[in-house]
Amino acid sequence: MSVESTGVGALTARQVMSRIVVAVRPEESPLMAWEVMRRAGVHHLPIVDNGHVLGVLSREDLAASWSGGPHEQASRKVRSLLGCEPRPRVGPEDPLVRVAAVMVDAGCDAVPVVCEEGLVGLITARDVLAAVAGRVQPHDMPSELVTGMFRLEPVLPRQS
């Protein structure tokens, strides 16, 4: 599907979103979140509890909150990194123009796509740019939420 044939205004969140979403649970540590981002090659991690999005953690958010060493990071929870500000989200049928407006208004570069069942996708600024550039690929596969991609246990240095 190209922008020329549909026009950017006709695209919906469902057509633009990433369908395979790597997420973390709120009780995971920042150390674990960082490792999941690194291994999965993603810059944004939705924090999901029983299918419901609590927020989206970016690499920048994670780096800005980093203090102390591995022991301190392993004992914290990513839930504590969520601010009190509103957590924007969009629906699968929302037009791309609305998605972009939500991102601009919230000052964020990623927004979860949710429906009654919970998280179904994630749209990043890169996805919006790809749509504007006419590089949207048709999707006929279902969405997939990956929270148990791997189970990592950080190996921490011994305290002397």
Side-chain angles (χ1 to χ4, degrees):
M1 174 177 313
S2 71
V3 173
E4 292 79 25
S5 64
T6 63
V8 173
L11 292 174
T12 64
R14 182 183 310 279
Q15 293 169 301
V16 177
M17 69 185 188
S18 298
R19 293 171 180 280
I20 298 176
V21 180
V22 179
V24 292
R25 294 182 180 95
E27 64 274 3
E28 294 292 353
S29 71
L31 188 61
M32 181 66 68
W34 184 263
E35 188 63 15
V36 169
M37 283 182 180
R38 189 184 72 75
R39 288 191 182 203
V42 298
H43 295 257
H44 301 90
L45 277 179
I47 300 173
V48 179
D49 191 19
N50 294 323
H52 299 287
V53 180
L54 303 179
V56 176
L57 185 63
S58 71
R59 278 189 181 186
E60 291 78 15
D61 295 335
L62 196 51
S65 73
W66 206 270
S67 63
H71 288 285
E72 291 82 5
Q73 294 308 311
S75 64
R76 294 173 57 208
K77 307 290 182 226
V78 292
R79 178 188 301 270
S80 70
L81 303 179
L82 295 174
C84 296
E85 65 276 351
R87 298 179 183 113
R89 58 198 69 220
V90 297
E93 302 311 318
D94 285 349
L96 184 59
V97 172
R98 180 176 186 285
V99 172
V102 166
M103 292 171 77
V104 168
D105 291 346
C108 64
D109 58 354
V111 63
V113 182
V114 297
C115 65
E116 292 173 4
E117 294 80 37
L119 181 67
V120 293
L122 186 71
I123 298 178
T124 66
R126 183 180 182 131
D127 296 322
V128 173
L129 288 172
V132 170
R135 304 232 170 108
V136 175
Q137 299 298 317
H139 295 288
D140 55 356
M141 62 182 198
S143 296
E144 182 180 352
L145 175 63
V146 181
T147 56
M149 188 161 90
F150 18 64
R151 183 69 208 150
L152 302 172
E153 293 297 329
V155 178
L156 302 173
R158 293 182 189 205
Q159 297 271 344
S160 317

